[in-house]
Structures are given as C-alpha cells and as structure tokens.
Amino acid sequence: MTASTNIALIIGSLRKASINRKFAEHIVSQIPNSIRVSEVNIADLPLYNQDYDDTTIDSYERVRAQLKAADAVLIVTPEHNRTMPAALKNVVDIASRPFKESVWTGKKVALVTASPGSFGGINSGLDVRKSMQMLSAQMIINPEINLSRATESLDEQGVSSERTQKYLQRFVDELVEFVGNTGA
Ligand SMILES: Cc1cc2nc3c(=O)[nH]c(=O)nc-3n(C[C@H](O)[C@H](O)[C@H](O)COP(=O)(O)O)c2cc1C
C-alpha cells in the first residue's frame, strides 16, 4: 500500500436518507486514514447512449478519470426490482466505454448490498458481479456482504448493531488487504 492508495466509492442510491449511504459512511470510517476514499457522484450522469462515445461529456469524463485513477472501487448499493438500481448500471456502462477503453478491466471491486427486506439485496449484488465478471474486473469474493433487515442495524447515529459492526469489520479488513496488494 502506498500513501496515495485510493478507493472510489459508488453509492447505488440517489436518495438523501439512503440506508446504503449510512452503511457506506460506517465502512469508510473504519478504513485506515492512509487510504483515501472519494465518492463518485453518479447523480448527474446523463443516461448512457452509445452515440456519446464520439463526443465529450464532462460528467462522463469526470467519472471515468476518477474510476481509472482508483486502486479499487467500493460499491454499496440497494436492490431495485431484483437488480441493481438504474443509476448504478448507468455508471457501470459509462465507465465500460468507449469500446476497449473500459476502466473496469482488471479493476479491484468490492461490493456491499443492503435492504430492509429479507434477501439483503442479493440479486442486485449478483447482477453487479455478473457485469463485473464480463468486464474482467477483480472482485472480493469473500466475505460476500448482503445486509438483510438492514434498518434494524441502524439508529440515528449510524450502524448501531454490534453484530453488523463486527461483520463489516471483517469486510473492511479484507478490503484493506485487497487494495494493499495493488501492483506494489
Ligand atoms: C423502485 C424500487 C424497487 C425496489 N425493489 C426492491 C427489491 O427488489 N428488493 C429489495 O430488497 N428491496 C427493494 N426495494 C426497497 C429498497 O430496498 C429500500 O427502499 C431501500 O431502503 C433502498 O435503499 P436506500 O435506502 O439506500 O435508498 C425497492 C425500492 C424501490 C424504490
């Protein structure tokens, strides 16, 4: 790991009171200060259109550059209708193009899903993994974090459940190890 090690954070929910944002904030608070984490703003990205590959869209260039420069990408996302939210799929597509300029090739990607429901957003996670596999990204396999009944782990301060805190700590330890292996 170098002083400039950095993680780009994508939160798949656009809403202000997002529970996924709360989990992301907790995870980031547990990551050592030697690793920089910067959020990728996905809210202002026009819906991907292949015609745009021949032109320059500032917000597209911003996210592509940010993801390209990152040693790893951390995605924390809900599930919408049994798959990843459209805003997340949009940035996956934007960063995968133009053809042969995908930022995902070989990229280290770590994933957390959270839902108030019983399945923890697992289908969203599986679909992210499917896209990342096709795009030749490298993903943390274990632990696979799909937080079910996730609102029960939260209070106004953030993640209040000790069990969930411990579970997420294991994930953070893996993530630090994973990023630490970056081409050093
Ligand atoms: C359009 C839409 C579709 C949803 N579909 C699912 C779903 O398939 N599975 C699930 O567990 N929750 C689903 N939910 C509920 C979300 O898990 C819940 O709203 C959650 O709080 C969203 O995450 P956020 O708080 O980070 O925005 C859906 C919510 C919306 C708005």
Side-chain angles (χ1 to χ4, degrees), residues 72-83:
V73 179
L74 169 61
I75 299 173
V76 185
T77 185
E79 172 172 293
H80 281 175
N81 300 317
R82 292 285 183 265
T83 186

Side-chain angles (χ1 to χ4, degrees), residues 108-159:
K108 296 189 173 188
V109 177
L111 174 68
V112 170
T113 68
S115 164
S118 311
F119 301 114
I122 190 167
N123 287 291
S124 173
L126 290 172
D127 282 351
V128 172
R129 287 176 190 277
K130 193 165 64 180
S131 289
M132 289 300 146
Q133 184 181 339
M134 184 270 172
L135 291 164
S136 303
Q138 309 174 53
M139 292 203 69
I140 288 191
I141 306 291
N142 197 4
E144 191 180 354
I145 305 282
N146 307 114
L147 299 166
S148 58
R149 306 222 175 278
T151 43
E152 293 170 19
S153 297
L154 296 170
D155 66 13
E156 307 76 51
Q157 266 73 52
V159 180

Side-chain angles (χ1 to χ4, degrees), residues 9 14 18 77 80-81 92 94 108 130 132 161 170:
L9 168 67
L14 303 185
S18 162
T77 185
H80 281 175
N81 300 317
V92 168
I94 290 165
K108 296 189 173 188
K130 193 165 64 180
M132 289 300 146
S161 150
R170 246 188 81 210

